[in-house]
Amino acid sequence: MALEIPTVEAAAAEGEAQSTQPWPKQSTAWYAVCVFAVVLMFGELDRGIIGLLVQPIKRDLNLDDLQVSYLIGLAPVIFYALIGIPLARLVDTMKRNVVLAIGLAVGAAMTALAGITQTFWQLFLCRVAVGGGGAINGPGTYSMMADYFPREKLPRAIAILQIGFIAGGGLSLVIGAVVIGASPTCRPRTSWAW
């Protein structure tokens, strides 16, 4: 089987076909990027804050280190690994915005539900379901962005999108510190023997 290398004419024809595609208004496209960035930011907030609250979670639910590793590492990855590809297929075959909205709504609901769990298994299942929002977010977001921007403008849009990732990571540290500082049950217990 020979590898086909596109000719200059084929590349030019592809570029011309892309330039004739009806792109949405610039304001609509950039608004979508901002919404995607905010969604990405909240996903990073969730991942960052739970990392800061490990000790209070361990104390409240009587967890050991292995169980905490399951909550932070394994639980979200299970959904990514087992369900991510089928969810990405849904993005290809169904209305992207609907699939993305449902996935993110389920992830957000499970994040909220995780706050009232009472056992390891309840929290574990919530964290597994939270992975669903992340599993659908990437394929859905990038696929929709390709519909909003021509190829030559897509890298700049993706760079703006990544601001949500960085902002979420940074804000999770700030918000987590405020939560820990404001809650007497979250502060680490220290006993100084002088």
Side-chain angles (χ1 to χ4, degrees):
M1 175 185 279
L3 177 65
E4 291 185 28
I5 299 174
T7 63
V8 174
E9 293 83 17
E14 182 182 336
E16 186 177 314
Q18 283 187 349
S19 66
T20 60
Q21 178 176 340
W23 300 102
K25 292 189 315 186
Q26 288 281 325
S27 60
T28 302
W30 288 110
Y31 174 75
V33 170
C34 291
V35 170
F36 294 146
V38 168
V39 169
L40 184 59
M41 180 189 71
F42 280 112
E44 287 305 307
L45 277 169
D46 172 65
R47 283 185 281 279
I49 288 177
I50 195 167
L52 291 174
L53 298 175
V54 166
Q55 293 306 319
I57 292 170
K58 280 177 66 174
R59 188 173 56 242
D60 290 349
L61 298 179
N62 295 320
L63 304 179
D64 60 32
D65 289 338
L66 183 61
Q67 289 173 312
V68 170
S69 73
Y70 291 158
L71 292 174
I72 293 175
L74 182 65
V77 170
I78 288 173
F79 214 100
Y80 270 95
L82 299 178
I83 307 297
I85 293 173
L87 286 177
R89 180 71 179 133
L90 286 177
V91 170
D92 290 338
T93 58
M94 299 177 71
K95 290 187 74 154
R96 295 175 185 143
N97 58 342
V98 172
V99 173
L100 186 59
I102 291 171
L104 294 175
V106 168
M110 291 298 109
T111 298
L113 189 59
I116 60 170
T117 58
Q118 300 295 312
T119 68
F120 166 76
W121 287 109
Q122 290 172 347
L123 186 55
F124 183 82
L125 291 175
C126 285
R127 296 301 299 164
V128 168
V130 166
I136 198 64
N137 188 23
T141 296
Y142 288 113
S143 179
M144 288 179 70
M145 284 182 60
D147 290 341
Y148 284 114
F149 293 94
R151 183 181 300 185
E152 63 274 5
K153 292 185 179 179
L154 194 55
R156 187 175 345 140
I158 291 172
I160 301 293
L161 174 71
Q162 294 306 310
I163 292 172
F165 178 75
I166 301 302
L171 285 174
S172 70
L173 297 174
V174 173
I175 294 171
V178 168
V179 168
I180 290 170
S183 174
T185 61
C186 288
R187 289 190 204 124
R189 295 179 185 160
T190 58
S191 59
W192 297 94
W194 293 96

